[in-house]
Coordinates of all heavy atoms in Angstrom, one line a residue:
M106 N -83.8 9.1 -69.2 CA -84.3 10.3 -69.8 C -83.8 10.5 -71.2 O -84.5 11.1 -72.0 CB -84.0 11.5 -68.9 CG -84.6 12.8 -69.3 SD -84.5 13.9 -68.0 CE -84.7 15.4 -68.9
A107 N -82.6 10.1 -71.4 CA -81.9 10.3 -72.7 C -82.8 9.7 -73.9 O -82.8 10.2 -75.0 CB -80.5 9.7 -72.8
G108 N -83.5 8.7 -73.6 CA -84.4 8.1 -74.6 C -85.5 9.0 -75.0 O -86.1 8.8 -76.1
Y109 N -85.9 9.9 -74.2 CA -87.0 10.8 -74.5 C -86.5 12.1 -75.3 O -87.3 12.7 -76.0 CB -87.7 11.3 -73.2 CG -88.3 10.2 -72.5 CD1 -87.8 9.8 -71.3 CD2 -89.5 9.7 -72.9 CE1 -88.3 8.8 -70.6 CE2 -90.1 8.6 -72.2 CZ -89.5 8.2 -71.0 OH -90.1 7.2 -70.3
L110 N -85.3 12.4 -75.3 CA -84.8 13.6 -75.9 C -84.2 13.4 -77.3 O -83.6 12.4 -77.5 CB -83.7 14.2 -75.0 CG -84.1 14.5 -73.5 CD1 -82.9 15.0 -72.7 CD2 -85.2 15.6 -73.5
K111 N -84.5 14.3 -78.2 CA -84.0 14.2 -79.5 C -82.5 14.7 -79.6 O -81.8 14.3 -80.5 CB -84.9 15.0 -80.5 CG -86.2 14.3 -80.5 CD -87.2 15.1 -81.5 CE -88.5 14.4 -81.5 NZ -89.6 15.2 -81.8
T112 N -82.2 15.7 -78.8 CA -80.8 16.2 -78.8 C -80.3 16.2 -77.3 O -81.1 16.4 -76.4 CB -80.7 17.6 -79.4 OG1 -81.6 18.5 -78.6 CG2 -81.1 17.6 -80.8
P113 N -79.0 16.1 -77.1 CA -78.5 16.2 -75.7 C -78.8 17.6 -75.1 O -78.7 18.6 -75.8 CB -77.0 16.0 -75.9 CG -76.8 15.4 -77.2 CD -78.0 15.9 -78.0
V114 N -79.1 17.7 -73.8 CA -79.3 18.9 -73.2 C -78.4 19.0 -71.9 O -78.0 18.0 -71.4 CB -80.8 19.2 -72.8 CG1 -81.7 19.2 -74.0 CG2 -81.3 18.1 -71.8
Q115 N -78.2 20.3 -71.5 CA -77.5 20.5 -70.3 C -78.4 21.5 -69.4 O -78.8 22.5 -69.9 CB -76.1 21.2 -70.6 CG -75.4 21.5 -69.3 CD -74.0 22.1 -69.7 OE1 -73.6 22.1 -70.8 NE2 -73.3 22.6 -68.6
L116 N -78.6 21.1 -68.2 CA -79.4 21.9 -67.3 C -78.5 22.7 -66.4 O -77.4 22.1 -65.9 CB -80.4 21.0 -66.5 CG -81.3 20.2 -67.3 CD1 -82.1 19.3 -66.3 CD2 -82.3 21.1 -68.1
S117 N -78.8 23.9 -66.0 CA -78.0 24.7 -65.1 C -78.9 25.6 -64.3 O -80.0 25.9 -64.7 CB -76.9 25.5 -65.8 OG -77.6 26.4 -66.7
G118 N -78.4 26.1 -63.2 CA -79.1 27.1 -62.4 C -80.4 26.6 -61.8 O -81.3 27.4 -61.7
L119 N -80.5 25.3 -61.6 CA -81.8 24.8 -61.1 C -82.2 25.3 -59.7 O -81.4 25.3 -58.8 CB -81.8 23.3 -61.1 CG -81.7 22.6 -62.4 CD1 -81.6 21.1 -62.3 CD2 -82.8 22.9 -63.3
R120 N -83.5 25.7 -59.6 CA -84.0 26.1 -58.3 C -85.4 25.5 -58.2 O -86.1 25.2 -59.2 CB -84.2 27.6 -58.3 CG -83.0 28.5 -58.5 CD -82.1 28.4 -57.2 NE -81.0 29.3 -57.4 CZ -79.8 28.9 -57.8 NH1 -79.6 27.7 -58.2 NH2 -78.8 29.8 -57.9
S121 N -85.9 25.2 -57.0 CA -87.1 24.5 -56.9 C -87.8 24.9 -55.6 O -87.2 25.5 -54.7 CB -86.9 23.0 -56.9 OG -86.2 22.6 -55.8
S122 N -89.1 24.6 -55.6 CA -89.9 24.7 -54.4 C -90.8 23.5 -54.3 O -91.2 22.9 -55.3 CB -90.7 26.0 -54.4 OG -91.7 26.0 -55.4
Y123 N -91.2 23.2 -53.0 CA -92.0 22.0 -52.8 C -93.4 22.4 -52.3 O -93.5 23.2 -51.4 CB -91.3 21.2 -51.7 CG -92.0 19.9 -51.3 CD1 -92.0 18.8 -52.1 CD2 -92.6 19.8 -50.0 CE1 -92.7 17.7 -51.8 CE2 -93.2 18.7 -49.7 CZ -93.3 17.6 -50.5 OH -93.9 16.4 -50.2
G124 N -94.4 21.8 -52.9 CA -95.8 22.1 -52.5 C -96.2 21.1 -51.3 O -96.3 19.9 -51.6
L125 N -96.3 21.7 -50.1 CA -96.7 20.8 -49.0 C -98.1 20.2 -49.2 O -98.3 19.1 -48.8 CB -96.7 21.6 -47.7 CG -95.3 22.1 -47.3 CD1 -95.4 23.0 -46.0 CD2 -94.4 20.9 -47.0
G126 N -99.0 20.9 -49.8 CA -100.4 20.4 -50.0 C -100.5 19.3 -51.0 O -101.2 18.3 -50.7
D127 N -99.8 19.4 -52.1 CA -99.9 18.3 -53.1 C -98.7 17.5 -53.4 O -98.7 16.5 -54.1 CB -100.3 19.0 -54.4 CG -99.4 20.1 -54.9 OD1 -98.2 20.1 -54.4 OD2 -99.7 20.8 -55.8
G128 N -97.5 17.8 -52.7 CA -96.3 17.1 -52.9 C -95.6 17.3 -54.2 O -94.6 16.6 -54.5
N129 N -96.0 18.2 -55.0 CA -95.4 18.5 -56.3 C -94.2 19.4 -56.1 O -94.1 20.2 -55.1 CB -96.4 19.2 -57.3 CG -97.5 18.2 -57.6 OD1 -97.4 17.0 -57.6 ND2 -98.6 18.8 -58.0
V130 N -93.2 19.3 -57.0 CA -92.0 20.2 -56.9 C -92.0 21.1 -58.2 O -92.0 20.5 -59.3 CB -90.7 19.3 -56.9 CG1 -89.5 20.2 -56.9 CG2 -90.8 18.4 -55.6
Q131 N -92.0 22.4 -58.0 CA -91.9 23.3 -59.1 C -90.4 23.6 -59.3 O -89.7 23.8 -58.4 CB -92.6 24.6 -58.8 CG -94.1 24.5 -58.7 CD -94.7 23.8 -57.5 OE1 -94.2 23.9 -56.4 NE2 -95.7 23.0 -57.7
V132 N -90.0 23.6 -60.6 CA -88.6 23.7 -60.9 C -88.4 24.8 -62.0 O -89.2 24.9 -62.9 CB -88.1 22.4 -61.6 CG1 -86.6 22.5 -62.0 CG2 -88.3 21.2 -60.6
C133 N -87.4 25.6 -61.8 CA -87.0 26.7 -62.7 C -85.5 26.6 -63.0 O -84.8 26.2 -62.1 CB -87.4 28.0 -62.2 SG -89.1 28.3 -62.0
G134 N -85.1 26.9 -64.2 CA -83.7 26.8 -64.5 C -83.4 27.2 -65.9 O -84.2 27.8 -66.6
Y135 N -82.2 26.8 -66.4 CA -81.8 27.0 -67.7 C -81.5 25.7 -68.4 O -81.0 24.8 -67.8 CB -80.6 28.0 -67.7 CG -80.9 29.3 -67.2 CD1 -80.7 29.6 -65.8 CD2 -81.4 30.3 -68.0 CE1 -81.0 30.8 -65.3 CE2 -81.7 31.6 -67.4 CZ -81.5 31.8 -66.1 OH -81.8 33.0 -65.6
V136 N -81.8 25.7 -69.7 CA -81.5 24.5 -70.5 C -80.7 24.9 -71.8 O -81.0 26.0 -72.3 CB -82.8 23.7 -70.9 CG1 -83.7 24.5 -71.8 CG2 -82.4 22.4 -71.6
T137 N -79.7 24.2 -72.1 CA -78.9 24.4 -73.3 C -78.9 23.1 -74.1 O -78.7 22.0 -73.6 CB -77.5 24.8 -73.0 OG1 -77.5 25.9 -72.1 CG2 -76.7 25.1 -74.2
T138 N -79.1 23.2 -75.4 CA -79.0 22.1 -76.3 C -77.6 22.1 -77.0 O -77.1 23.2 -77.2 CB -80.1 22.0 -77.4 OG1 -80.0 23.2 -78.2 CG2 -81.4 22.0 -76.8
V139 N -77.1 21.0 -77.3 CA -75.8 20.9 -78.0 C -76.1 20.2 -79.4 O -76.4 19.0 -79.4 CB -74.8 20.1 -77.2 CG1 -73.5 20.0 -78.0 CG2 -74.6 20.7 -75.8
T140 N -76.0 21.0 -80.4 CA -76.2 20.4 -81.8 C -75.1 20.8 -82.7 O -74.7 21.9 -82.8 CB -77.6 20.9 -82.4 OG1 -77.6 22.4 -82.3 CG2 -78.8 20.4 -81.6
G141 N -74.6 19.8 -83.3 CA -73.5 20.0 -84.3 C -72.2 20.6 -83.7 O -71.6 21.4 -84.3
G142 N -72.0 20.4 -82.4 CA -70.8 20.9 -81.7 C -71.0 22.4 -81.3 O -70.1 23.0 -80.8
R143 N -72.2 23.0 -81.6 CA -72.5 24.4 -81.3 C -73.4 24.4 -80.1 O -74.3 23.7 -80.0 CB -73.1 25.0 -82.5 CG -72.9 26.5 -82.6 CD -73.7 26.9 -83.9 NE -75.1 26.6 -83.7 CZ -76.1 27.4 -83.9 NH1 -75.9 28.6 -84.5 NH2 -77.3 27.1 -83.7
T144 N -73.1 25.3 -79.2 CA -73.9 25.5 -78.0 C -74.5 26.9 -78.0 O -73.8 27.9 -77.8 CB -73.1 25.3 -76.7 OG1 -72.4 24.0 -76.8 CG2 -73.9 25.4 -75.5
P145 N -75.9 27.0 -78.2 CA -76.5 28.3 -78.2 C -76.6 28.8 -76.7 O -76.4 28.1 -75.8 CB -77.9 28.1 -78.8 CG -78.1 26.6 -78.5 CD -76.8 25.9 -78.5
P146 N -77.0 30.1 -76.5 CA -77.2 30.6 -75.2 C -78.3 29.8 -74.4 O -79.2 29.3 -75.0 CB -77.6 32.0 -75.3 CG -77.4 32.4 -76.8 CD -77.3 31.1 -77.5
P147 N -78.2 29.7 -73.1 CA -79.2 29.0 -72.3 C -80.5 29.6 -72.4 O -80.7 30.8 -72.5 CB -78.6 29.0 -70.9 CG -77.4 29.8 -70.9 CD -77.1 30.3 -72.3
A148 N -81.6 28.7 -72.4 CA -83.0 29.2 -72.4 C -83.6 28.9 -71.1 O -83.4 27.9 -70.4 CB -83.7 28.4 -73.5
L149 N -84.4 29.9 -70.6 CA -85.1 29.7 -69.3 C -86.2 28.7 -69.5 O -86.9 28.8 -70.5 CB -85.6 31.1 -68.9 CG -86.3 31.3 -67.6 CD1 -85.3 30.9 -66.4 CD2 -86.8 32.7 -67.4
F150 N -86.4 27.9 -68.5 CA -87.5 26.9 -68.5 C -88.1 26.8 -67.1 O -87.5 27.1 -66.1 CB -87.1 25.6 -69.1 CG -86.5 24.7 -68.1 CD1 -87.2 23.7 -67.4 CD2 -85.1 24.8 -67.8 CE1 -86.6 22.9 -66.4 CE2 -84.5 24.0 -66.9 CZ -85.2 23.0 -66.2
A151 N -89.3 26.3 -67.1 CA -90.0 26.0 -65.8 C -90.9 24.8 -66.0 O -91.3 24.5 -67.1 CB -90.7 27.2 -65.3
G152 N -91.3 24.2 -64.9 CA -92.2 23.1 -64.9 C -92.5 22.6 -63.5 O -92.0 23.1 -62.5
T153 N -93.3 21.5 -63.5 CA -93.7 20.9 -62.2 C -93.3 19.4 -62.3 O -93.7 18.7 -63.3 CB -95.2 21.1 -62.0 OG1 -95.4 22.5 -62.0 CG2 -95.6 20.4 -60.7
L154 N -92.6 18.9 -61.3 CA -92.4 17.5 -61.1 C -93.5 17.0 -60.2 O -93.6 17.3 -59.1 CB -91.0 17.2 -60.5 CG -90.6 15.8 -60.3 CD1 -90.6 15.0 -61.6 CD2 -89.3 15.7 -59.6
L155 N -94.4 16.2 -60.8 CA -95.6 15.8 -60.1 C -95.2 14.7 -59.1 O -94.3 13.9 -59.3 CB -96.7 15.3 -61.1 CG -97.2 16.3 -62.1 CD1 -98.1 15.6 -63.1 CD2 -97.8 17.4 -61.5
S156 N -96.0 14.7 -58.0 CA -95.7 13.6 -57.0 C -95.9 12.2 -57.6 O -95.3 11.3 -57.1 CB -96.6 13.9 -55.8 OG -98.0 13.8 -56.1
S157 N -96.7 12.1 -58.6 CA -96.9 10.8 -59.3 C -95.8 10.4 -60.2 O -95.8 9.3 -60.7 CB -98.2 10.8 -60.0 OG -98.2 11.8 -61.0
G158 N -94.8 11.3 -60.4 CA -93.6 11.0 -61.2 C -93.3 11.8 -62.4 O -92.1 12.2 -62.5
P159 N -94.2 12.1 -63.3 CA -93.8 12.8 -64.6 C -93.5 14.3 -64.3 O -94.0 14.9 -63.4 CB -95.0 12.6 -65.5 CG -96.1 12.4 -64.6 CD -95.6 11.7 -63.4
F160 N -92.6 14.8 -65.2 CA -92.3 16.2 -65.2 C -93.2 16.9 -66.3 O -93.3 16.4 -67.4 CB -90.8 16.5 -65.6 CG -90.5 17.9 -65.7 CD1 -90.3 18.7 -64.6 CD2 -90.4 18.6 -66.9 CE1 -90.0 20.0 -64.7 CE2 -90.1 19.9 -67.0 CZ -89.9 20.6 -65.9
V161 N -93.9 18.0 -65.9 CA -94.8 18.7 -66.8 C -94.2 20.1 -67.1 O -94.2 20.9 -66.1 CB -96.2 18.8 -66.2 CG1 -97.1 19.5 -67.1 CG2 -96.8 17.4 -65.9
P162 N -93.7 20.3 -68.3 CA -93.2 21.6 -68.6 C -94.2 22.7 -68.5 O -95.4 22.5 -68.8 CB -92.6 21.5 -70.0 CG -92.7 20.1 -70.4 CD -93.7 19.4 -69.4
Y163 N -93.8 23.9 -68.1 CA -94.7 25.1 -68.1 C -94.7 25.6 -69.5 O -93.7 26.0 -70.1 CB -94.2 26.2 -67.1 CG -95.0 27.4 -67.1 CD1 -96.3 27.4 -66.6 CD2 -94.5 28.6 -67.5 CE1 -97.1 28.5 -66.6 CE2 -95.2 29.8 -67.5 CZ -96.5 29.7 -67.0 OH -97.3 30.9 -67.0
R164 N -95.9 25.5 -70.1 CA -96.0 25.9 -71.6 C -96.4 27.3 -71.7 O -97.4 27.8 -71.1 CB -97.1 25.0 -72.2 CG -96.8 23.5 -72.1 CD -96.3 23.0 -73.4 NE -96.1 21.5 -73.3 CZ -95.1 20.9 -73.7 NH1 -94.1 21.6 -74.2 NH2 -95.0 19.6 -73.5
V165 N -95.7 28.0 -72.5 CA -95.9 29.4 -72.8 C -96.1 29.6 -74.3 O -95.3 29.0 -75.1 CB -94.8 30.3 -72.3 CG1 -95.0 31.8 -72.6 CG2 -94.5 30.1 -70.8
P166 N -97.2 30.2 -74.8 CA -97.4 30.4 -76.2 C -96.2 31.1 -76.9 O -95.5 32.0 -76.2 CB -98.6 31.2 -76.3 CG -99.3 31.1 -75.0 CD -98.2 30.8 -74.0
G167 N -96.0 30.9 -78.1 CA -94.9 31.6 -78.9 C -93.8 30.6 -79.2 O -93.9 29.4 -79.0
A168 N -92.7 31.2 -79.7 CA -91.5 30.4 -80.1 C -90.3 31.1 -79.6 O -90.2 32.3 -79.5 CB -91.5 30.3 -81.6
G169 N -89.3 30.3 -79.3 CA -88.0 30.8 -78.9 C -88.0 31.5 -77.5 O -88.9 31.3 -76.7
Q170 N -87.0 32.3 -77.3 CA -86.9 33.0 -76.0 C -87.1 34.5 -76.2 O -86.3 35.4 -75.9 CB -85.5 32.8 -75.5 CG -85.2 31.4 -75.0 CD -86.0 31.2 -73.7 OE1 -85.7 31.8 -72.7 NE2 -86.9 30.2 -73.7
D171 N -88.3 34.9 -76.7 CA -88.7 36.3 -76.8 C -89.0 36.9 -75.5 O -89.2 36.1 -74.5 CB -89.8 36.5 -77.8 CG -91.1 35.8 -77.4 OD1 -91.6 36.2 -76.3 OD2 -91.6 35.0 -78.1
P172 N -88.9 38.2 -75.3 CA -89.1 38.8 -74.0 C -90.4 38.5 -73.3 O -90.4 38.4 -72.1 CB -89.0 40.3 -74.3 CG -88.2 40.4 -75.6 CD -88.5 39.2 -76.3
Q173 N -91.5 38.3 -74.1 CA -92.8 38.0 -73.4 C -92.8 36.6 -72.8 O -93.3 36.4 -71.7 CB -93.9 38.1 -74.5 CG -94.1 39.5 -74.9 CD -95.1 39.6 -76.0 OE1 -95.2 38.7 -76.9 NE2 -95.8 40.8 -76.1
R174 N -92.1 35.6 -73.5 CA -92.0 34.3 -73.0 C -91.1 34.3 -71.7 O -91.5 33.6 -70.8 CB -91.5 33.3 -74.0 CG -92.5 33.1 -75.1 CD -92.1 32.0 -76.1 NE -92.4 30.7 -75.4 CZ -91.9 29.6 -75.8 NH1 -91.0 29.5 -76.8 NH2 -92.2 28.5 -75.2
I175 N -90.0 34.9 -71.8 CA -89.1 35.0 -70.7 C -89.8 35.6 -69.5 O -89.8 35.1 -68.3 CB -87.8 35.8 -71.0 CG1 -87.0 35.0 -72.0 CG2 -87.0 36.1 -69.7 CD1 -85.9 35.8 -72.6
A176 N -90.6 36.7 -69.7 CA -91.3 37.3 -68.6 C -92.4 36.4 -68.0 O -92.6 36.4 -66.8 CB -92.0 38.6 -69.1
A177 N -93.0 35.6 -68.9 CA -94.1 34.7 -68.4 C -93.5 33.6 -67.5 O -94.0 33.2 -66.5 CB -94.8 34.1 -69.6
V178 N -92.3 33.1 -67.9 CA -91.6 32.0 -67.1 C -91.1 32.6 -65.8 O -91.3 32.0 -64.8 CB -90.5 31.3 -68.0 CG1 -89.7 30.4 -67.1 CG2 -91.1 30.6 -69.2
Q179 N -90.6 33.8 -65.9 CA -90.1 34.4 -64.7 C -91.2 34.7 -63.7 O -91.1 34.5 -62.5 CB -89.4 35.7 -65.0 CG -88.0 35.5 -65.6 CD -87.4 36.8 -66.1 OE1 -88.1 37.8 -66.4 NE2 -86.1 36.8 -66.1
A180 N -92.4 35.1 -64.2 CA -93.6 35.3 -63.4 C -94.0 34.0 -62.7 O -94.4 34.0 -61.5 CB -94.7 35.9 -64.2
F181 N -94.0 32.9 -63.5 CA -94.4 31.6 -62.9 C -93.4 31.3 -61.8 O -93.8 30.8 -60.7 CB -94.3 30.5 -64.0 CG -94.4 29.1 -63.4 CD1 -95.7 28.6 -63.1 CD2 -93.3 28.3 -63.2 CE1 -95.8 27.3 -62.6 CE2 -93.4 27.1 -62.7 CZ -94.6 26.6 -62.4
C182 N -92.1 31.5 -62.0 CA -91.1 31.1 -61.0 C -91.3 32.0 -59.7 O -91.3 31.4 -58.6 CB -89.7 31.3 -61.5 SG -89.3 30.2 -62.9
R183 N -91.5 33.3 -59.9 CA -91.8 34.1 -58.7 C -93.1 33.7 -58.0 O -93.1 33.8 -56.8 CB -91.9 35.6 -59.2 CG -90.6 36.3 -59.4 CD -90.7 37.8 -59.5 NE -91.5 38.2 -60.6 CZ -91.2 38.3 -61.9 NH1 -89.9 38.0 -62.2 NH2 -92.0 38.7 -62.8
S184 N -94.1 33.3 -58.7 CA -95.3 32.9 -58.1 C -95.1 31.6 -57.2 O -95.9 31.4 -56.3 CB -96.4 32.6 -59.1 OG -96.2 31.4 -59.8
Q185 N -94.1 30.9 -57.5 CA -93.7 29.7 -56.7 C -92.6 30.0 -55.7 O -92.0 29.1 -55.2 CB -93.3 28.6 -57.7 CG -94.3 28.2 -58.7 CD -95.6 27.8 -58.1 OE1 -95.7 27.0 -57.2 NE2 -96.7 28.3 -58.7
Q186 N -92.3 31.3 -55.5 CA -91.3 31.7 -54.6 C -89.9 31.2 -55.0 O -89.1 30.9 -54.2 CB -91.6 31.3 -53.1 CG -92.7 32.1 -52.5 CD -94.1 31.7 -52.9 OE1 -94.3 30.5 -53.0 NE2 -94.9 32.6 -53.2
I187 N -89.7 31.2 -56.3 CA -88.4 30.8 -56.8 C -87.8 32.0 -57.5 O -88.4 32.6 -58.5 CB -88.5 29.6 -57.9 CG1 -89.2 28.4 -57.2 CG2 -87.2 29.3 -58.5 CD1 -89.5 27.3 -58.2
E188 N -86.6 32.4 -57.1 CA -85.9 33.6 -57.7 C -84.9 33.0 -58.7 O -84.0 32.2 -58.3 CB -85.2 34.4 -56.6 CG -84.7 35.7 -57.1 CD -85.7 36.6 -57.7 OE1 -86.8 36.7 -57.1 OE2 -85.5 37.3 -58.7
I189 N -85.0 33.5 -59.9 CA -84.1 33.0 -61.0 C -83.7 34.2 -61.8 O -84.3 35.1 -61.9 CB -84.8 31.9 -61.8 CG1 -83.8 31.3 -62.7 CG2 -85.9 32.4 -62.6 CD1 -83.9 29.8 -62.9

């Protein structure tokens, strides 16, 4: 996975749910990047690990961790019965 990333990341607080119908795993958690020895606050993320293998991030319009994006990711997580 390190070959795909431009900067090192740290994942934390991972929670998931498994779709019995399609075999996909929905994942929610926090990601932190480490650049120049500085670690910014963790950012909320979500996505789906497809049964065929690849991880598909949940894409929300906008930039950064503004309140609307955070609310959209939290809503996705709740819709998958994931409390974060």
Side-chain angles (χ1 to χ4, degrees):
M106 184 165 161
Y109 296 106
L110 302 172
K111 294 179 180 155
T112 59
V114 297
Q115 179 178 351
L116 302 175
S117 62
L119 293 176
R120 303 285 186 267
S121 65
S122 67
Y123 178 72
L125 293 175
D127 56 15
N129 296 334
V130 177
Q131 289 72 36
V132 179
C133 297
Y135 295 92
V136 62
T137 303
T138 60
V139 180
T140 52
R143 207 180 60 136
T144 305
L149 185 61
F150 82 96
T153 302
L154 181 58
L155 300 176
S156 60
S157 59
F160 178 76
V161 179
Y163 179 64
R164 303 255 185 229
V165 180
Q170 288 288 299
D171 63 59
Q173 292 170 332
R174 291 187 81 196
I175 292 170
V178 172
Q179 288 173 333
F181 170 81
C182 294
R183 279 193 303 276
S184 75
Q185 303 301 317
Q186 289 76 46
I187 301 171
E188 190 61 40
I189 190 141

